[in-house]
Amino acid sequence: MDPYILIDITYGVDFKKIDKMAMEIGIDTCSNKRIESAIKYALNISGNNGHTCVLKENLIKFIEELLRIDKKYIEDSIINLKAKKQIVLEKREEIDWIYLYQEYKAEENIAEKLLTLLKSKNVKKIDNIKEKLEKQEKQYNIQLSEKQKEAIELVNNNNVCVITGGPGTGKTTIIKNIIDIYKTKKLKVILCAPTGRAAKRMKEATNEDAKTIHRLLEIGKIEEDRNSMVEYEVAPIDADIIIIDEMSMVDTYIMNYLVKAIYRGTKLILVGDENQLPSVGPGTVLKDIIDSKKIPTICLNKIFRQAAKSQIILNAHNVNNGKGFVKKEDLGSDIKEDFFYINESNQEKILKHVLTLTKNKLKMSDSEKFYDNIQVLTPTKKGLVGTKEMNKKLQEVLNPPSENKKEKKYGDVIFREGDKIMQIKNNYDIFWEKRQENYESGTGIFNGEMGIIKNIDEESKQVKILFDDDKIVWYTYSDLEQIEHSYSITIHKSQGSEFDAAIIVIPKAYQMLLTRNLLYTGLTRAKKMLIVIGGEETINFMIENVKIKHRNTGLDFKLQNNLLNNF
């Protein structure tokens, strides 16, 4: 019997429990299997924290403390795992980094594929691009900035490029013009984004179909296979130009499968905001690509005149630049009143404000104007103004019990018809359908997708959920562990989404949570109205706290040192 085999075949197991079981049945404390399993366990923990690799020195120290064994046995096991191609050692500036084999290969493949695409013949280049842009400006009565024109020319002159910038800097206008130019040449443009909500936003902004990357690639359980040597096959993408939005959310695994599916000669345009929070999965793909300086990149840093009339956008840029919220007396008369700050640090009072605002549907200066799409955001799940407690209180206020609404108690949670919910884990197999003019169906609902409970059927023991991108899904009662209420969600979970109105609460919390890029990400989620509630001292701390949790990755190194750089 070998309990350690569970490390290889089961995701997320508790190594300490398995190790205790192994010790009880007499497995040697210095056995190779024990040490090798501990190494893979440590690398998996590292991956869960966003890293793709760890310092060899730190890994050895961790295993020494975990297993209480001599360093020499760990060194031997590292050599064995390397020989079996289960881990890889990479030397950078005389420092050794250790990867799980598939994470190293993923980074290596991304670097190689991006450089191969970049260096391939630019067969989709359009001649006289400046004339085409002038024609479009007249046709649509728009005036592109020099930076926007430069971005479009960058796309035209390169097979791979990055367009990065904050809100109101013109990324959407660039995308729309790229689509129009290439479609006039009968070229096929594919739009995609990491999440359903981000894809829906892309579709609304461009009036073109946009898919999630998962759906585009039709891929399976990739992020749950860190110990697996299986390489999933992906079908090539039939496209001349591929535009990916919200690139900061794309992790190493997804990017690896995406680049595998792209033909040489296809143009790949990566669009995103490098100051947003990094991906949930391991890696900092967008940041590494930009930092490598190997992929042509343009940074949009000018706020357009129309966008500059929004206090939401002005404050987002202020925070990103290390400044406080703008003061009303410093603003012109034509500035929109779409941002409100309530200086309050008492959590009970913060909660009271949230409940009052949401119950009254944010009835502000215009009593006829209601915002149906109100989202409460918070940095944390815990505490009085964490998601768990706020969801209970918000459900009581926004969707109270009614004899006209069926409900189902699951554990200590009550799900009720009309509730806002969020999927909290990837389900690759669940069936969905869209009953519109063009009927669609498929499988897969992913972590972060949001919807409304439309019906609870006690007879079939199923719950009908309508997701934001119009997918209809029937959940069995046993599937309810996969959803939670989403009246309030964490700022991390909100990334890639946009809401008509957002209320951001900023309580005192762990300092590692209170960072500038977390606040910036929250501010950029609101479209029409934003209310921030929190103590001035805490918010100032966040603005000054640029100590983003560093992730150990090597994609930038591989892009800089790939053999293709010599050609």
Side-chain angles (χ1 to χ4, degrees):
M1 181 180 174
D2 178 12
Y4 295 113
I5 199 168
L6 293 171
I7 298 290
D8 293 331
I9 64 173
T10 307
Y11 181 74
V13 297
D14 186 336
F15 176 84
K16 291 181 180 178
K17 286 184 179 177
I18 292 170
D19 193 46
K20 184 181 178 185
M21 191 191 311
M23 295 297 97
E24 287 172 353
I25 63 173
I27 291 179
D28 185 16
T29 55
C30 296
S31 77
N32 281 336
K33 188 62 184 175
R34 181 184 189 226
I35 303 168
E36 289 174 11
S37 294
I39 290 169
K40 286 186 278 187
Y41 164 73
L43 291 170
N44 272 321
I45 291 175
S46 175
N48 291 339
N49 288 319
H51 308 290
T52 59
C53 56
V54 298
L55 281 165
K56 179 183 176 183
E57 181 183 347
N58 290 350
L59 178 68
I60 289 172
K61 284 179 183 175
F62 177 84
I63 303 299
E64 278 183 303
E65 292 178 13
L66 179 68
L67 302 184
R68 304 293 179 186
I69 58 170
D70 193 273
K71 178 180 176 180
K72 68 178 181 179
Y73 297 111
I74 304 168
E75 294 273 13
D76 289 343
S77 290
I78 288 172
I79 293 168
N80 290 339
L81 286 170
K82 184 183 174 186
K84 290 188 284 188
K85 288 192 173 180
Q86 293 186 24
I87 65 169
V88 176
L89 268 69
E90 180 176 73
K91 191 174 284 291
R92 301 182 222 147
E93 298 177 353
E94 303 305 312
I95 297 172
D96 286 326
W97 295 86
I98 295 183
Y99 288 79
L100 283 170
Y101 179 82
Q102 56 275 23
E103 293 187 350
Y104 177 87
K105 295 303 288 185
E107 281 190 353
E108 186 178 61
N109 184 59
I110 294 167
E112 186 174 321
K113 294 287 185 182
L114 287 177
L115 293 172
T116 299
L117 284 171
L118 183 66
K119 294 173 187 299
S120 297
K121 189 175 180 181
N122 189 356
V123 293
K124 305 298 187 311
K125 185 174 182 177
I126 293 175
D127 296 329
N128 305 318
I129 189 76
K130 290 183 179 179
E131 292 176 17
K132 300 279 191 308
L133 287 174
E134 287 174 11
K135 187 177 178 182
Q136 286 202 172
E137 285 180 306
K138 289 176 184 175
Q139 183 179 347
Y140 298 111
N141 193 27
I142 58 171
Q143 180 66 54
L144 295 170
S145 71
E146 289 305 310
K147 201 83 168 179
Q148 286 176 315
K149 291 176 184 176
E150 187 184 335
I152 294 167
E153 289 179 29
L154 188 80
V155 169
N156 193 48
N157 293 330
N158 297 279
N159 287 330
V160 186
C161 66
V162 175
I163 300 170
T164 184
T169 56
K171 296 192 297 292
T172 301
T173 301
I174 291 168
I175 292 172
K176 288 166 75 172
N177 276 272
I178 290 168
I179 293 167
D180 288 341
I181 286 172
Y182 285 97
K183 282 183 76 175
T184 59
K185 290 293 183 180
K186 309 295 184 189
L187 296 174
K188 186 175 181 181
V189 182
I190 293 286
L191 309 182
C192 63
T195 66
R197 289 185 75 93
K200 187 179 181 183
R201 278 178 57 198
M202 207 177 184
K203 183 176 182 178
E204 289 169 350
T206 62
N207 291 318
E208 299 286 337
D209 188 36
K211 297 180 178 180
T212 63
I213 299 173
H214 274 92
R215 194 167 159 223
L216 177 66
L217 298 176
E218 297 179 357
I219 50 180
K221 306 176 184 180
I222 58 172
E223 80 275 19
E224 297 179 6
D225 290 301
R226 288 181 191 145
N227 287 329
S228 170
M229 302 302 287
V230 175
E231 280 289 314
Y232 291 91
E233 292 300 319
V234 287
I237 301 169
D238 177 21
D240 297 298
I241 294 96
I242 300 170
I243 304 175
I244 308 172
D245 200 11
E246 295 287 353
M247 262 300 298
S248 61
M249 298 180 71
V250 176
D251 65 33
T252 302
Y253 289 108
I254 294 291
M255 192 64 182
N256 179 36
Y257 283 91
L258 182 71
V259 295
K260 282 183 178 185
I262 300 175
Y263 285 114
R264 282 193 186 192
T266 302
K267 282 188 178 291
L268 177 62
I269 304 162
L270 310 175
V271 183
D273 184 347
E274 63 176 318
N275 295 304
Q276 299 279 1
L277 292 165
S279 57
V280 175
T284 48
V285 174
L286 179 63
K287 180 179 181 299
D288 283 0
I289 289 171
I290 294 170
D291 288 350
S292 75
K293 296 184 168 51
K294 289 296 178 180
I295 304 299
T297 299
I298 189 162
C299 181
L300 306 171
N301 45 28
K302 178 188 173 184
I303 308 174
F304 280 84
R305 187 170 58 191
Q306 196 62 33
K309 292 180 181 179
S310 165
Q311 288 185 55
I312 297 171
I313 289 175
L314 289 174
N315 278 307
H317 283 274
N318 252 30
V319 165
N320 193 41
N321 293 323
K323 301 173 185 175
F325 298 150
V326 291
K327 296 177 181 176
K328 285 188 179 179
E329 56 265 30
D330 296 333
L331 299 172
S333 58
D334 61 341
I335 298 294
K336 283 189 270 183
E337 277 202 275
D338 57 4
F339 176 91
F340 299 87
Y341 171 52
I342 300 171
N343 182 4
E344 180 57 70
S345 56
N346 181 283
Q347 293 200 14
E348 290 180 356
K349 290 181 180 178
I350 290 175
L351 179 60
K352 190 175 179 180
H353 279 301
V354 170
L355 297 177
T356 301
L357 288 164
T358 51
K359 187 176 181 180
N360 293 332
K361 297 289 187 188
L362 295 182
K363 220 189 288 189
M364 294 298 178
S365 57
D366 183 353
S367 61
E368 299 299 316
K369 186 70 176 177
F370 294 87
Y371 290 88
D372 295 322
N373 185 13
I374 303 171
Q375 186 59 58
V376 180
L377 306 175
T378 176
T380 180
K381 294 180 180 180
K382 299 176 181 178
L384 189 62
V385 289
T387 55
K388 193 167 183 180
E389 289 302 316
M390 276 204 294
N391 271 317
K392 289 178 184 176
K393 298 294 184 184
L394 286 163
Q395 184 193 36
E396 289 174 13
V397 168
L398 301 176
N399 193 31
S402 165
E403 59 185 36
N404 299 320
K405 293 182 178 181
K406 288 175 278 186
E407 56 185 50
K408 165 64 182 171
K409 187 170 185 182
Y410 187 83
D412 62 348
V413 178
I414 294 173
F415 291 109
R416 186 173 296 129
E417 291 174 347
D419 274 343
K420 288 176 66 174
I421 62 89
M422 174 183 277
Q423 179 81 8
I424 57 171
K425 58 172 71 172
N426 290 339
N427 184 332
Y428 298 87
D429 304 316
I430 198 165
F431 176 79
W432 58 260
E433 57 184 343
K434 292 186 181 183
R435 299 172 186 170
Q436 298 170 323
E437 287 183 25
N438 299 317
Y439 177 86
E440 287 183 72
S441 64
T443 57
I445 299 292
F446 300 102
N447 190 354
E449 294 196 52
M450 297 171 70
I452 303 282
I453 294 178
K454 303 301 286 186
N455 180 247
I456 296 174
D457 188 332
E458 185 58 44
E459 188 175 335
S460 66
K461 300 194 183 313
Q462 287 185 308
V463 176
K464 180 184 178 182
I465 297 175
L466 175 65
F467 282 91
D468 287 345
D469 56 355
D470 302 318
K471 291 196 293 278
I472 297 169
V473 184
W474 283 94
Y475 283 67
T476 64
Y477 283 175
S478 61
D479 290 328
L480 294 179
E481 62 167 358
Q482 299 176 27
I483 64 171
E484 64 184 20
H485 289 115
S486 64
Y487 298 102
S488 171
I489 62 175
T490 62
I491 295 172
H492 278 87
K493 287 282 191 183
S494 75
Q495 196 167 358
S497 300
E498 191 175 59
F499 310 97
D500 283 345
I503 302 171
I504 303 176
V505 302
I506 306 292
K508 286 185 178 179
Y510 296 116
Q511 290 190 357
M512 61 182 291
L513 275 178
L514 302 176
T515 62
R516 181 189 295 177
N517 71 334
L518 185 85
L519 179 58
Y520 173 72
T521 299
L523 298 179
T524 55
R525 298 308 93 202
K527 189 176 179 182
K528 296 178 182 177
M529 182 172 289
L530 175 63
I531 299 172
V532 179
I533 311 172
E536 189 174 1
E537 184 181 337
T538 305
I539 287 169
N540 287 337
F541 175 84
M542 290 183 82
I543 293 169
E544 292 170 10
N545 183 16
V546 292
K547 293 178 182 176
I548 301 167
K549 189 178 178 184
H550 176 73
R551 291 188 172 190
N552 296 324
T553 66
L555 178 57
D556 55 344
F557 174 81
K558 291 176 181 64
L559 282 164
Q560 290 164 355
N561 294 277
N562 193 285
L563 292 173
L564 286 169
N565 286 312
N566 299 322
F567 293 94

